[in-house]
Amino acid sequence: MTTKIVNIVVAGGNYAGLNAMRHLYATLLASPDQSNRSEVNITLVDRRDGFVHYIGMTRGITEPSFGSSLWVPYSTVDWLQHPQITIKQGTVADIQPTLVQLANGEQLQFDYLVVALGISRFAPIGIRSSTKSEFVAELAESYAQLESAKSVVVVGGGAVGIELAADIKCDFPDKSVTLVHSRALPLPGPFKDELRHNVVDILQNNIGVELVLGQRVIAQEPASADMADTLTDMPEHVSSTATDTTLTLSGGQTLHGDWVVRCLGTRDKKSIINLPSSTQEPIFGANGIRVKDTMQIDDAAYPHIYACGDICSRDTVKLAGVAMYGAYIAAINIARTIPSGSNNSPTLEESPLYPSKILLLMSKEHFIMQLGDEIWEKEKTRQYVSEDMGLQGSINGLSLNKVPAAYSPFDLAPAF
């Protein structure tokens, strides 16, 4: 009897995609006992040739030597060199019920798919690089513009804008740094105003960032691309920065910045998800791909397709740890399904719903966290804060520095 080859595709790397790869490896490839199991080929598709610790990007711009450590090439990860693992460096252009098409026209047929494409930001926070050498060069370019500027304006008071403004002011205390936000308080999302007021206090009184709240940017001279009208699912290729620029605000005020960075919003991947819905509900909802607790797409037509991380609708606040846990659930559920075949229905694991959480790292000395409805005291929060912004913890959690131990998908293992 010919053994059926089972093809698994993981579309997208980083926190979700790589943790899915890690657990697929540990449950399907690492075990010496391959009896009663179909041969498995696992393909990772990523437009980059390595993992990037996005959480550290704001400080990577202000400290390029630290920034260069944020990129870990896949070629340095031993277990990714397994003969049944293929890494395809390319851009996903189209996802259909049984195939993934890349931008170069190549098609990858799959039996199981994990969609972990995330969401995208404009450069330089969003990373247009495809290799580490390009990444290091782009960090150096951003740093050169920043270093030569006497005044910096950050537009957008979400988490990224807050952390970037704080990192710039702390690393360059002699520069004028202004954060502009359209609402009366920074940090949109399901958070308490008490937390927002604390953020304002830290930025203004502890760090020295000037805040302009309740005003929008309505004009820019010289003009640059209007990011709101940029119709692309790859905003990483569009710069959000400008030099020697004057901004006009909705209240009539003008601001000049030698370096201006607009931290405004994200773009999703809805345009490449071509999966017809079998119900009245669209596959891609307001907050991403609709998924079940098992991380399968919430549509009976696609029990073989999973989505995790920022691209799925699971959480309002997108977090790396939640992405990694969802990927773990997806991987062990695929591993449970493969040995039994389509004639059997194994019990699938479910991911819990997590309370909303935000940990703001406002330079190396200032941080604040809210978990659910509780704003944590600074000393209690300190246990989750590291000088490298969680880089080594992510490397360890994703097993980028060691070979994952084999385990049965029916025996739960630590998610990361």
Side-chain angles (χ1 to χ4, degrees), residues 183 186-196 287 315-319 354-358 369-375:
R183 301 184 187 184
L187 196 63
F191 307 113
K192 290 184 171 182
D193 279 353
E194 179 187 352
L195 181 80
R196 298 185 174 98
N287 196 36
D315 299 276
T316 302
V317 182
K318 308 295 186 179
L319 300 171
Y354 290 94
S356 60
K357 173 186 171 184
I358 188 76
M369 186 165 108
Q370 180 178 326
L371 177 61
D373 290 330
E374 182 185 1
I375 299 173

Side-chain angles (χ1 to χ4, degrees), residues 69-344:
S69 68
L70 299 175
W71 191 294
V72 181
Y74 293 143
S75 61
T76 66
V77 181
D78 289 344
W79 57 271
L80 284 175
Q81 317 314 313
H82 190 283
Q84 287 169 259
I85 290 178
T86 301
I87 297 177
K88 291 277 187 183
Q89 188 175 353
T91 300
V92 175
D94 188 29
I95 290 178
Q96 299 179 27
T98 59
L99 69 84
V100 171
Q101 181 164 310
L102 306 187
N104 65 3
E106 183 176 4
Q107 294 185 343
L108 305 175
Q109 299 284 338
F110 61 80
D111 297 290
Y112 297 92
L113 172 66
V114 178
V115 184
L117 292 169
I119 53 179
S120 296
R121 295 182 181 275
F122 293 87
I125 298 298
I127 300 166
R128 64 178 178 265
S129 316
S130 58
T131 66
K132 182 169 184 175
S133 60
E134 293 174 355
F135 178 64
V136 171
E138 287 163 14
L139 285 178
E141 178 184 352
S142 294
Y143 181 79
Q145 293 178 346
L146 170 60
E147 187 180 37
S148 64
K150 293 182 179 179
S151 59
V152 177
V153 180
V154 178
V155 182
V160 172
I162 290 168
E163 292 187 340
L164 180 60
D167 276 325
I168 292 173
K169 185 62 179 178
C170 287
D171 280 343
F172 298 93
D174 294 334
K175 295 186 188 299
S176 166
V177 179
T178 302
L179 176 64
V180 179
H181 187 59
S182 60
R183 301 184 187 184
L185 289 170
L187 196 63
F191 307 113
K192 290 184 171 182
D193 279 353
E194 179 187 352
L195 181 80
R196 298 185 174 98
H197 284 293
N198 289 343
V199 169
V200 169
D201 181 59
I202 292 170
L203 288 174
Q204 286 184 324
N205 299 323
N206 295 103
I207 298 176
V209 173
E210 298 178 44
L211 296 182
V212 178
L213 300 174
Q215 295 199 53
R216 295 179 297 104
V217 175
I218 60 173
Q220 175 177 316
E221 181 62 38
S224 61
D226 187 341
M227 292 160 56
D229 294 334
T230 302
L231 300 177
T232 176
D233 55 20
M234 294 287 288
E236 299 92 342
H237 295 281
V238 179
S239 176
S240 68
T241 66
T243 57
D244 192 15
T245 298
T246 299
L247 304 175
T248 302
L249 307 183
S250 54
Q253 179 182 356
T254 60
L255 285 175
H256 179 268
D258 295 328
W259 198 55
V260 174
V261 187
R262 294 173 291 173
C263 299
L264 298 172
T266 59
R267 293 291 184 273
D268 60 37
K269 306 291 184 182
K270 182 177 180 179
S271 64
I272 66 174
I273 308 298
N274 290 310
L275 301 173
S277 176
S278 65
T279 71
Q280 296 298 313
E281 296 291 328
I283 296 294
F284 210 108
N287 196 36
I289 296 174
R290 295 185 301 105
V291 293
K292 303 176 183 178
D293 292 344
T294 58
M295 306 310 295
Q296 294 164 297
I297 288 183
D298 191 9
D299 190 302
Y302 308 110
H304 61 303
I305 301 180
Y306 295 72
C308 49
D310 291 356
I311 198 169
C312 82
S313 62
R314 194 77 179 145
D315 299 276
T316 302
V317 182
K318 308 295 186 179
L319 300 171
V322 175
M324 290 169 68
Y325 196 88
Y328 157 71
I329 294 296
I332 62 173
N333 283 342
I334 290 172
R336 287 181 182 185
T337 304
I338 287 175
S340 61
S342 59
N343 295 326
N344 230 337

